[in-house]
């Protein structure tokens, strides 16, 4: 479907060029990859640029509280079986970053785009996607449950009337609420580990009943839709009832769920599950996440956990005790400056692991662990925490800017 649209106008071409120049200047000044600043300059010159760039592509949008960067990567790998792909692989997921990523992919057929939750409706309007994958919605940092519900409502309004196939998680009531204004939905039973934000009915506010894997509102009848795709242990079940084994280098149940959703997306574009899943095996790490690096003769696995649901997922994938765990928490701008979310995380899941805490807010974390009744040590920095541990695997779990600090320190 790509290729039958108008060529870029001179103004759009100028905007792309100016954006690239600004990005190059930003890189030269040592301010990172420059993709966001480049995109901002380009959008200023041509506010319509995102729409124009997207016209040339079959666009797939991916949004969620957790797992969107990884899923974007898995879908991109799978779709490369069908044609060239452009993607915002580094996770710059607001309009400027997305514009910049698309401007770099003039030969692509598919645009696989991670979108920040708050921008999904707008980006969907601008890019007229062929498919939208919705994974999960839960509180992020300080968002309270009410704000998460408002976000679901905003998605619901924004996606009403979309021509896209919406591939949505049937096990997350907020996702179902958001997706069910769309006419063409493919439901995936992708599971939901974190249920704290989904006890009340998004439709009427009643209490959701949760018998087994099912959920239903006794007051209004809003209920789990019947999925056509499912994650079942280590397998993806497709709509024909065939079970396809998932082999990933990425750890954990959540990534298997991401693979199941990605297989459903790929099938929408004619890529069979077997082919899609084989290609997903190639993904080793996503923007440094899950990478295992050697540092001070230990093997550090780098894990990112940005919000309560993310921490819970991460605890479920680490090696069992006595594998040492290093926890690092900052509270800089991108993290949210308040650390009261620490109280939403069940740290007792770490019982039995030797624990070291580091990061700007190590004392907040220490108080939390003390109340949880855990043994731990407060360390000055990563080097000290690593030296305390015996040789072998160490799990390091960090929130956003703390994760960037870790990557810098280990040279990854
Ligand atoms: Zn209800």
């Amino acid at each position: 479907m790509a290729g039958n649209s108008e060529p870029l106008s001179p103004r759009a071409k100028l905007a792309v060029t100016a954006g690239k120049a600004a990005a190059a200047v930003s890189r030269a000044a040592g301010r990172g990859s420059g993709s966001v600043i480049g995109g901002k300059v380009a959008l200023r010159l041509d506010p319509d640029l995102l729409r124009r760039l997207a016209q040339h592509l079959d666009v797939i949008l991916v949004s969620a509280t957790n797992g969107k960067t990884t899923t974007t990567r898995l879908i991109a790998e799978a779709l490369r079986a069908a044609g060239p792909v452009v993607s915002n692989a580094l996770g710059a997921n607001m309009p400027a970053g997305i514009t910049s990523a698309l401007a770099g992919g003039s030969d692509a057929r598919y645009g696989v785009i991670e979108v920040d939750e708050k921008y999904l409706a707008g980006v969907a309007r601008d890019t007229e996607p062929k498919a939208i994958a919705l994974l999960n919605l839960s509180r992020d940092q300080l968002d309270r449950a009410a704000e998460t519900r408002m976000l679901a409502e905003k998605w619901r309004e924004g996606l009403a009337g979309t021509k896209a196939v919406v591939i949505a998680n049937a096990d997350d009531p907020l996702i179902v609420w958001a997706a069910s204004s769309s006419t063409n939905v493919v439901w995936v039973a992708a599971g939901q580990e974190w249920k704290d934000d989904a006890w009340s009915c998004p439709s009427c506010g009643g209490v959701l009943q949760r018998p087994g894997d099912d959920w239903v509102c006794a007051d209004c009848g809003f209920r789990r839709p019947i999925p056509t795709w499912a994650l079942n242990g280590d397998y993806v079940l497709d709509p024909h009832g065939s079970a396809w084994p998932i082999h990933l280098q990425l750890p954990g149940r959540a990534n298997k769920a991401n693979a199941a959703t990605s297989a459903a997306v790929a099938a929408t574009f004619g890529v069979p599950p077997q082919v899609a899943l084989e290609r997903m095996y190639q993904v080793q790490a996503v923007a440094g996440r899950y990478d295992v690096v050697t540092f001070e003769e230990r093997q550090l696995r780098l894990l990112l956990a940005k919000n309560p649901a993310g921490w819970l997922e991460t605890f479920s994938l680490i090696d069992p005790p006595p594998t040492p765990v290093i926890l690092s928490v900052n509270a800089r701008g991108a993290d949210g400056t308040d650390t009261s979310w620490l109280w939403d995380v069940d740290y007792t899941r770490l019982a039995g692991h030797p624990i070291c805490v580091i990061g700007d807010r190590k004392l907040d974390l220490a108080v939390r662990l003390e109340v949880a009744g855990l043994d731990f040590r407060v360390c000055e920095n990563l080097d000290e925490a690593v030296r305390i541990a015996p040789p072998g695997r160490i799990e390091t779990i960090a929130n956003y800017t703390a994760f960037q600090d870790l990557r810098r320190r280990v040279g990854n």
Side-chain angles (χ1 to χ4, degrees):
M1 276 179 237
N4 59 353
S5 39
E6 67 197 73
L8 282 185
S9 67
R11 184 170 182 82
K13 280 184 186 155
L14 173 69
V16 169
T17 306
K20 282 181 179 162
V25 169
S26 171
R27 270 196 303 275
R31 293 170 187 258
S33 75
S35 67
V36 172
I37 184 77
K40 278 185 181 158
V41 168
L43 277 178
R44 188 77 52 85
L45 283 169
D46 182 357
D48 214 21
L49 183 59
L50 180 55
R51 188 187 67 79
R52 285 181 222 263
L53 290 168
Q55 270 181 346
H56 299 259
L57 298 162
D58 283 359
V59 169
I60 298 93
L61 303 183
V62 181
S63 199
T65 308
N66 286 312
K68 52 189 177 291
T69 305
T70 303
T71 304
T72 298
R73 182 69 189 282
L74 293 175
I75 293 171
E77 288 305 320
L79 284 183
R80 285 198 175 98
V85 170
V86 61
S87 181
N88 52 342
L90 294 176
N93 61 11
M94 295 185 219
I98 293 167
T99 302
S100 173
L102 293 190
S106 52
D107 300 330
R109 174 173 173 196
Y110 300 104
V112 183
I113 300 172
E114 170 189 340
V115 190
D116 180 275
E117 304 89 282
K118 294 183 178 70
Y119 292 90
L120 177 66
V123 172
R125 192 182 52 235
D126 287 348
T127 60
E128 294 183 32
K130 296 284 188 298
I132 303 174
L134 305 177
L135 314 177
N136 54 68
L137 268 179
S138 68
R139 71 189 77 166
D140 201 19
Q141 297 152 13
L142 269 193
D143 290 357
R144 296 292 92 184
E147 285 155 62
T148 310
R149 274 202 305 280
M150 276 167 53
L151 194 54
E153 198 62 50
K154 208 174 142 194
W155 281 13
R156 185 179 167 83
E157 287 164 18
L159 300 182
T162 180
K163 295 194 190 80
V165 179
V166 177
I167 295 94
N169 184 0
D171 292 323
D172 186 326
L174 284 170
I175 289 292
V176 173
W177 179 246
S180 49
S181 66
S182 309
T183 48
N184 192 355
V185 186
V186 173
W187 299 110
V188 182
Q192 185 190 40
E193 194 123 340
W194 174 266
K195 297 186 172 64
D196 290 23
D197 293 316
W199 288 107
S200 71
C201 173
S203 176
C204 76
V207 177
L208 289 182
Q209 318 286 315
R210 287 180 170 273
D213 291 334
D214 204 3
W215 55 263
V216 62
C217 172
D219 293 346
C220 75
F222 181 63
R223 65 181 312 145
R224 180 178 184 262
I226 296 168
T228 50
W229 291 77
L231 170 67
N232 190 335
D234 293 331
Y235 291 85
V236 177
L237 305 183
D238 74 15
H240 309 291
S242 303
W244 305 98
I246 303 171
H247 297 294
L248 290 179
Q249 301 191 60
L250 307 177
R253 192 212 66 84
N255 282 324
K256 293 191 174 82
N258 295 337
T261 302
S262 300
V265 171
T268 306
F269 295 91
V271 178
Q274 187 180 7
V275 174
L277 288 163
E278 268 171 24
R279 297 186 69 91
M280 290 179 216
Y281 178 75
Q282 307 306 317
V283 179
Q284 286 182 352
V286 180
R289 303 162 200 187
Y290 311 109
D291 236 356
V292 178
V293 299
T294 300
F295 180 72
E296 301 274 337
E297 290 155 41
R298 276 79 162 173
Q299 283 70 52
L300 273 58
R301 179 155 61 173
L302 308 181
L303 300 165
L304 173 71
K306 293 183 292 189
N307 47 50
W311 283 87
L312 187 69
E313 267 171 24
T314 305
F315 294 160
S316 72
L317 64 79
I318 62 176
D319 285 358
T323 307
V325 176
I326 297 173
L327 305 176
S328 185
V329 169
N330 288 350
R332 301 177 200 160
D335 307 308
T337 52
D338 186 324
T339 54
S340 63
W341 59 266
L342 287 168
W343 297 89
D344 292 336
V345 180
D346 179 13
Y347 285 97
T348 61
R349 300 266 296 250
L350 294 176
H353 290 276
I355 303 168
C356 275
V357 299
I358 59 173
D360 298 350
R361 304 307 280 267
K362 53 181 175 277
L363 295 183
D364 296 0
L365 187 54
V367 171
R368 178 69 189 92
L369 298 185
E370 184 72 40
V371 170
L374 295 164
D375 282 328
F376 63 91
R377 292 178 67 159
V378 178
C379 295
E380 198 47 46
N381 52 36
L382 181 69
D383 299 59
E384 185 190 337
V386 168
R387 277 195 298 268
I388 290 171
R393 167 68 67 94
I394 302 175
E395 307 283 11
T396 54
I397 311 174
N399 72 340
Y400 192 72
T401 66
F403 186 81
Q404 310 305 338
D405 288 351
L406 280 179
R407 285 185 71 188
R408 266 194 295 278
R409 182 64 196 102
V410 301
N412 173 259

